[in-house]
Structures are given as structure tokens and as C-alpha cells.
Amino acid sequence: MLEVRDLRVRFGRFTAVDGVSLSVGPDETVGLVGESGSGKTTVARAVVGLVRPESGSVLFDGAPLGPVGRRPASLQRAVQMVFQDPRSSLNPRMSVSAIIDEAWRTHPSSAPSGDRTTALHSVLDDVGLDSSVARHRAGELSGGQCQRVSIARALAVKPRLLVCDEAVSALDVSVQAQILRLLVDLQQRHHLAMLFISHDLGVVHQIADRIAVMRRGVLVEEGPATDVLGAPQHEYTRSLLDAALELTRES
Amino acid sequence: MTDALEVAGLVVDLPGRGGPVRVVDDVSFDIPAATTVGLIGESGSGKTMTANAVIDLLPSGATTGGSLRWRGEELLRASRARRRQVRGHEIAMIFQDPLAALNPTQTVGRQVGEILRRAGQSPQQVRSRVIELLDRAGIPEPAARLRSYPHEFSGGMRQRAMIALALAGSPALLLADEPTTALDVTVQARILRLLRDIQEDEGLAMLLVSHDLRVVAHVAHQVVVMYAGRVAERGPTSAVLREPAHPYTRALVDSVPAVRTRTALAHPLPGTPATPANRPSGCAFHPRCPIAREVCRVEQPSVRSVGSGRWAACHFAEEA
Ligand SMILES: Nc1ncnc2c1ncn2[C@@H]1O[C@H](COP(=O)(O)OP(=O)(O)OP(=O)(O)O)[C@@H](O)[C@H]1O
Ligand SMILES: Nc1ncnc2c1ncn2[C@@H]1O[C@H](COP(=O)(O)OP(=O)(O)O)[C@@H](O)[C@H]1O
Ligand code: SF4
Ligand SMILES: [Mg+2]
Ligand SMILES: [Mg+2]
């Protein structure tokens, strides 16, 4: 469904992504891991069209996605992103209902044909938010609620691929568990594909079918999650695993 | 073993819009000499305010109650001069964001040496001691780094510089507030190892504040779990993690996935963490607790002994 071919992204003289190829099939979750600065976010931004690749292509159902703005509306709608910092990715002065409305205005083909309020409440219900939250401004919500609103905004336009960049990293542990469960439930209910970026290997292992490991702009290893983290082939993956802490204290 | 720090019934009130808010409420724990105590809890649970009370860095307008005994001496009633003397020399702190804690306009060497200079050491003495400290904190080529400014360092190196700065006064207690939260995982592992080595080699007492159970499991001998400003549970780390005596601790433990093997998604707690400003009646955890009963809604559980070295604030600790 999503196919990234030989993607190369440069910022000035610096090559942030250097020939990355990966694919995400329907209903599939692909985890993208790697050290800070390895290029994960840049890949995600290229997939949603927020940075222009130097070369290579991003295909959706075989069609090139191209940069946001010049991307066909249907494709733009199909790929939605959830960001790390739930607070800064929402305008704090906007009400929740206005945030969802704006998503519908941006993608009119996804806007409800019937009653807007009913549709709004059903979108909020989908992410476990009470309909009373609709009136609140984003700035009045907790981190977990903000992240639910971000997910609701993404889902409101009925995407087929959700790109989550550290979507649970900024949340409290107990809230993180709620959002992970929510993402997995929604994925099954709406047949979403997911590109899931996280520095937490344990979390990625829980929800990804396949895992790709990035280092300095390059994919060094890719395969089924249990293989990559259970029996890593590449030395770099092993070093990431060695640095990851397990709860049970190894001597 | 003697206790370096005894925290007993500590209370911190901060001014709020509708009157004072109790952000730390009746918190008690000890830090024995040469021991690391982990302080864990979700954001807003009062971890930082507890650590800041110990080192006398509370926001203005804060009032305190209870007792903080440092090597037998009551800090909460000590003179300002005495508290200033303790801070930096006997008790030192490292923060989550070294960039905010370090002075951007001064070289790293100058900042680390400050406390030594004020103690009247000669420039040569200061210089060689600073090099020694930077080296101890794992900064390569320390002599060449004296003249660097904080912004010229990576995040991990800055945290090392702050550790060197904290060690400069030869403290007996080190408070570390989320020292690795802003760092990449590989760097985090190295900084944690460094802190553990320093704690062991120098025989320091350490309070490690973190929201990450894995970090605490890795370095702390004892753990204190906080929820909404109060202690939910405390005891030896391995025993607490193996057999939690509080439903909140159990939920935290269950929510941490393994890395090398695939863990099923945890059954998440409902609701959001209680805040001190908006604390539910009775046991503050009751709206989220899977085993709550009627009594939990009305009666606040006090911290009680639940086994050797184990303490928990739960009416039904035996069932957790
Ligand atoms: N707009 C930009 N201009 C210049 N350099 C950039 C820009 N965006 C990213 N980079 C650089 O590209 C590299 C990859 O960045 P990216 O954000 O993709 O990393 P990441 O893997 O997401 O890291 P993290 O885990 O810290 O989020 C980094 O060295 C970064 O400094
Ligand atoms: N400078 C401050 N002024 C007013 N309230 C504060 C301040 N710092 C923290 N608080 C409040 O005190 C409570 C405990 O905060 P803190 O100790 O920082 O929690 P933690 O470190 O566990 O995340 C929170 O409700 C927080 O909002
Ligand atoms: S006192 Fe009651 S509500 Fe509180 S943790 Fe124990 S069982 Fe749960
Ligand atoms: Mg990133
Ligand atoms: Mg804090």
C-alpha cells in the first residue's frame, strides 16, 4: 500500500535520509526505530509530504504522493500523522469541535453528509472522549486528552495510513498504555495501516508486525518484529538492544 | 546502617488560585548512607517538589511542614546560612535539563570550579581538581574541554558536565531529577551506569527521581512510589517490582513491556492521573483502581507496614 523507494532527503549539505526503502501493507504496522537524529522523523515527514525528497519516491497504491499542496486531495487525506507533542500540535485556543471541523473543511470529501454534531460525537467516542470535551479549548486538556484529540482529528478524515511519530513518548506511563491500546483497537476497527516511530523498543515490539532499524539516514535491518528484536542480525541493532533497559534487572 | 536523610511527614503547600495547594502530602522515607532511593510517579505527582524541598529550592510562596533530618540535623528549621552551606556542599542536585541549569555565558571549567574557588583553593588546585571531576564524569580529554561552553557540548556531555559540577562540592547526598529523560537511549544507559558507579565508588546516598520504572529498577536499591502527592508504596526495589503491594504500582509494572520478547498490551488503567489540585476523596487512586471498594471512596488509607521493609497506603494491600 505505502511504498518508499530509495528515499533521499537533504538539508543543505547534510543528508538526513540516504536511500531508504520500505513498505507498509494494508492492516500492517511497521515500526521504525533508531537513535536520535537517525532520520526517522524525516522519513515520516517525507511520507506525509512535509519535506521534499531530493530523490526517490513515495508511492501510495502505486501512485506517487508528491509534496503536500500538489498531492491529489484523496491521497492527502489517506495519509495522516500524529505527532509527539500533543500540546504543541494543537492550537491551544481552538475548541475541540473547531479542530475536527477544520479537518473536515480541509478534506470536504470526508465531511459528514448528515448531522455534524452527531458525527463529531461519534468521532470523539471513537477515541474514548466524552462529547462534553467538544466545547473545551485544546489548552484546557490533559496531555492524554490532547493526544486523543490529535488522533480523532486524523481519523475524522478517514485515512488509510496513520503515521505516528513518538505519539506516546510524552505521555505518562498509565496514559501511554491507554493510547497504545486505543491505536491498536482503532487500527483493527478501521483497517488502518500504521507507520509507528518510537525510541522505546519495548513498545514497538508490542505493536509492530515488522520493524525497520535506521542509523545515520540508512536502514540497517528490516524484518518481522520478533526476529529483529529477538535475534538481531546487525551489530547496530544489537547495540540498541544492549542500551535498552529491561524491567527485570539483569546482573 | 545510618540514615543520611530522614524525610518524615513532609508537606509542601504551593500558592494556588483558590488558596494553597498541597502538592506534597505527608511523605516519609529514608535514604540510608551509600544507598540509592528511586522516586517514581507520573507527572505532577510531587517528585520534583519533594526533591526541591530537600535542597531548599522550592518556588517562592511555598510553605513546608513535617521534618527533613539531614545526618540528624533538622533542615526545615535550620538557619538560612546553614541551609546555604548544606546546598551544593553536602547535598547537590542534577537536573533534567542541563542547558537550563548551566550558565550559557561561562565556560564549563569555570562553572565546575566555582565552588572550589569560593572555598579559597588556588587556581592551580582548582584547575587540576576540575580536570579530575570532568574525567570522573566521563568527559574525554577534560583538559581540552575546560574552555568549552555548554552549547558546544552534546546533550549527554552536558549532563556529564552537570554531574561534574554536582560532585565539585564533594556532596554526601546527590539528588538527580530525571537525569536521563531528555537523552537518547544509548546515552541514557551510559549516564545511568556512570551515576551507579559514582554512587558505589564514593559511597554516596542518592535520590533518583524518574517517571520511568525501568530507570529506577536499574539503579535504585529502594523505591518510593508517589501518587497525587502522597506515598503509595515503598520498599526494596526488587521486592516491590516482583510483588507490588499497591494496585497503582502493579499497573505501572504491568505497563512496562519487555524489549527482547513480545509482551501483550497491558490492560490500561481507566481515567487520568489525579492531581494534587484535584484530588479525589478517600484514596486518591480509587476512581482508577481495579479493586476499589466503598471504603476507598471515603477513607484515606495511611501508609502501613506490609512486610519486611515494605510499606503501602492501601486498604487492601494484601490483595494487590
Ligand atoms: N529542517 C532541518 N534542517 C536541517 N537539518 C535537519 C532538519 N530536520 C532534521 N534535520 C537533521 O536530520 C537528521 C535526522 O533528523 P530526524 O528528525 O529525522 O531524526 P529522528 O530519527 O527523528 O531523531 P529523534 O529520535 O531525535 O526524533 C538530524 O541530524 C537532524 O538534525
Ligand atoms: N513553580 C510552581 N508553581 C506552582 N505549582 C507548581 C510549581 N511547580 C510544580 N507545581 C505543581 O506541584 C505539583 C507537583 O509538581 P512536581 O513536583 O513538579 O511533580 P513531578 O516532578 O512529580 O512531575 C503539580 O501539581 C504541579 O503543577
Ligand atoms: S485503598 Fe482502595 S482504591 Fe486505594 S489503592 Fe487500595 S484498593 Fe485501590
Ligand atoms: Mg524524531
Ligand atoms: Mg518533575
Side-chain angles (χ1 to χ4, degrees):
Chain A
M1 191 165 88
L2 174 76
E3 217 183 314
V4 175
R5 280 197 203 146
D6 202 21
L7 182 73
R8 190 163 279 114
V9 180
R10 290 196 356 184
F11 299 109
R13 295 208 326 271
F14 179 74
T15 306
V17 175
D18 196 4
V20 164
S21 300
L22 61 85
S23 63
V24 185
D27 288 325
E28 193 183 33
T29 298
V30 174
L32 189 55
V33 303
E35 266 177 287
S36 183
S38 57
K40 308 179 296 293
T41 296
T42 307
V43 168
R45 289 166 57 83
V47 167
V48 296
L50 293 172
V51 296
R52 188 195 297 267
E54 156 108 350
S55 63
S57 50
V58 179
L59 307 172
F60 198 81
D61 287 340
L65 275 172
V68 150
R70 277 192 277 138
R71 177 174 282 204
S74 66
L75 286 181
Q76 195 168 325
R77 209 186 102 186
V79 183
Q80 293 294 318
M81 183 147 167
V82 178
F83 298 90
Q84 163 163 8
D85 186 356
R87 290 188 189 283
S88 65
S89 65
L90 300 174
N91 180 342
R93 283 184 300 274
M94 260 169 96
S95 72
V96 171
S97 95
I99 288 168
I100 306 291
D101 256 335
E102 189 186 48
W104 280 331
R105 250 180 294 122
T106 315
H107 301 289
S109 60
S110 66
S113 43
D115 181 33
R116 264 185 129 80
T117 313
T118 316
L120 174 67
H121 290 175
S122 124
V123 167
L124 293 179
D125 186 55
D126 225 10
V127 297
L129 287 173
D130 190 81
S131 52
S132 65
V133 168
R135 291 190 312 270
H136 287 88
R137 291 162 197 267
E140 301 163 4
L141 304 177
S142 73
Q145 284 175 317
C146 281
Q147 203 56 303
R148 286 176 197 269
V149 172
S150 304
I151 295 169
R153 175 178 63 179
L155 289 178
V157 304
K158 305 187 181 67
R160 292 173 53 211
L161 172 72
L162 205 55
V163 178
C164 300
D165 188 6
E166 303 281 5
V168 299
S169 311
L171 303 173
D172 271 322
V173 217
S174 70
V175 181
Q176 192 171 330
Q178 294 171 349
I179 300 294
L180 278 176
R181 162 70 63 172
L182 172 69
L183 283 171
V184 169
D185 287 350
L186 288 171
Q187 170 176 41
Q188 283 162 5
R189 228 177 314 143
H190 297 292
H191 298 287
L192 287 169
M194 202 146 72
L195 181 61
F196 188 89
I197 298 175
S198 175
H199 67 273
D200 189 328
L201 297 182
V203 165
V204 175
H205 204 164
Q206 276 185 308
I207 74 162
D209 303 304
R210 285 188 299 124
I211 291 178
V213 184
M214 272 189 90
R215 178 200 196 182
R216 293 199 209 126
V218 178
L219 276 197
V220 296
E221 181 163 2
E222 194 268 333
T226 42
D227 292 355
V228 172
L229 296 182
Q233 296 304 304
H234 198 281
E235 196 201 325
Y236 177 70
T237 313
R238 279 196 288 271
S239 75
L240 279 184
L241 274 163
D242 286 342
L245 307 175
E246 295 276 13
L247 189 55
T248 47
R249 188 175 177 170
E250 336 87 286
S251 52
Chain B
M1 196 178 285
T2 55
D3 285 336
L5 182 76
E6 295 167 61
V7 180
L10 179 69
V11 166
V12 177
D13 289 329
L14 294 180
R17 254 184 295 175
V21 179
R22 184 145 297 183
V23 296
V24 177
D25 188 8
D26 196 15
V27 165
S28 303
F29 62 91
D30 300 331
I31 309 183
T35 302
T36 300
V37 173
L39 190 55
I40 182 125
E42 298 186 288
S43 73
S45 59
K47 308 181 294 298
T48 294
M49 290 301 123
T50 300
N52 287 2
V54 172
I55 199 165
D56 196 22
L57 281 179
L58 289 172
S60 66
T63 57
T64 53
S67 151
L68 284 174
R69 289 184 85 77
W70 168 239
R71 294 164 152 180
E73 175 188 359
E74 178 55 61
L75 285 183
L76 287 183
R77 277 170 281 286
S79 68
R80 259 177 89 171
R82 173 63 188 136
R83 289 194 310 232
R84 228 187 348 253
Q85 198 178 9
V86 169
R87 188 200 306 160
H89 292 88
E90 297 169 39
I91 305 179
M93 183 144 175
I94 58 181
F95 302 88
Q96 168 170 352
D97 182 4
L99 207 50
L102 294 169
N103 183 339
T105 66
Q106 271 184 17
T107 64
V108 167
R110 181 155 188 93
Q111 294 181 63
V112 174
E114 174 75 27
I115 201 166
L116 305 168
R117 243 184 328 273
R118 271 196 276 125
Q121 295 194 10
S122 72
Q124 293 89 325
Q125 283 174 316
V126 172
R127 189 184 143 86
S128 69
R129 177 73 179 135
V130 169
I131 291 176
E132 200 179 298
L133 287 163
L134 292 177
D135 184 54
R136 184 69 194 93
I139 292 183
E141 298 182 59
R145 288 307 201 156
L146 291 177
R147 286 163 182 285
S148 302
Y149 287 88
H151 72 262
E152 298 173 285
F153 278 7
S154 67
M157 289 267 279
R158 272 180 220 138
Q159 197 52 284
R160 289 177 192 277
M162 186 139 79
I163 291 171
L165 194 152
L167 293 177
S170 307
L173 171 63
L174 195 59
L175 310 175
D177 191 358
E178 309 266 7
T180 60
T181 303
L183 302 175
D184 201 27
V185 271
T186 41
V187 185
Q188 159 169 296
R190 282 182 228 131
I191 298 287
L192 289 178
R193 195 172 321 128
L194 172 68
L195 285 174
R196 204 159 75 178
D197 288 350
I198 289 174
Q199 186 272 323
E200 281 171 12
D201 297 350
E202 324 275 323
L204 291 180
M206 185 155 91
L207 181 68
L208 178 81
V209 176
S210 178
H211 69 280
D212 187 340
L213 208 50
R214 286 180 284 207
V215 166
V216 167
H218 211 62
V219 288
H221 306 100
Q222 313 254 338
V223 62
V224 179
V225 183
M226 287 186 75
Y227 189 80
R230 294 176 68 93
V231 171
E233 160 161 27
R234 63 189 165 91
T237 309
S238 51
V240 169
L241 297 185
R242 199 169 347 103
E243 225 179 308
H246 195 287
Y248 175 63
T249 316
R250 167 151 319 271
L252 288 185
V253 170
D254 288 346
S255 71
V256 179
V259 176
R260 289 169 177 79
T261 54
R262 191 181 197 117
T263 324
L265 276 183
H267 198 74
L269 287 174
T272 50
T275 61
N278 205 344
R279 189 204 303 272
S281 64
C283 174
F285 187 58
H286 86 260
R288 313 180 73 195
C289 181
I291 64 167
R293 291 177 221 169
E294 190 50 30
V295 60
C296 304
R297 206 169 46 78
V298 287
E299 205 176 299
Q300 179 164 288
S302 45
V303 180
R304 61 187 171 97
S305 168
V306 292
S308 139
R310 307 269 321 255
W311 301 81
C314 172
H315 295 306
F316 305 104
E318 287 69 22
E319 299 165 32

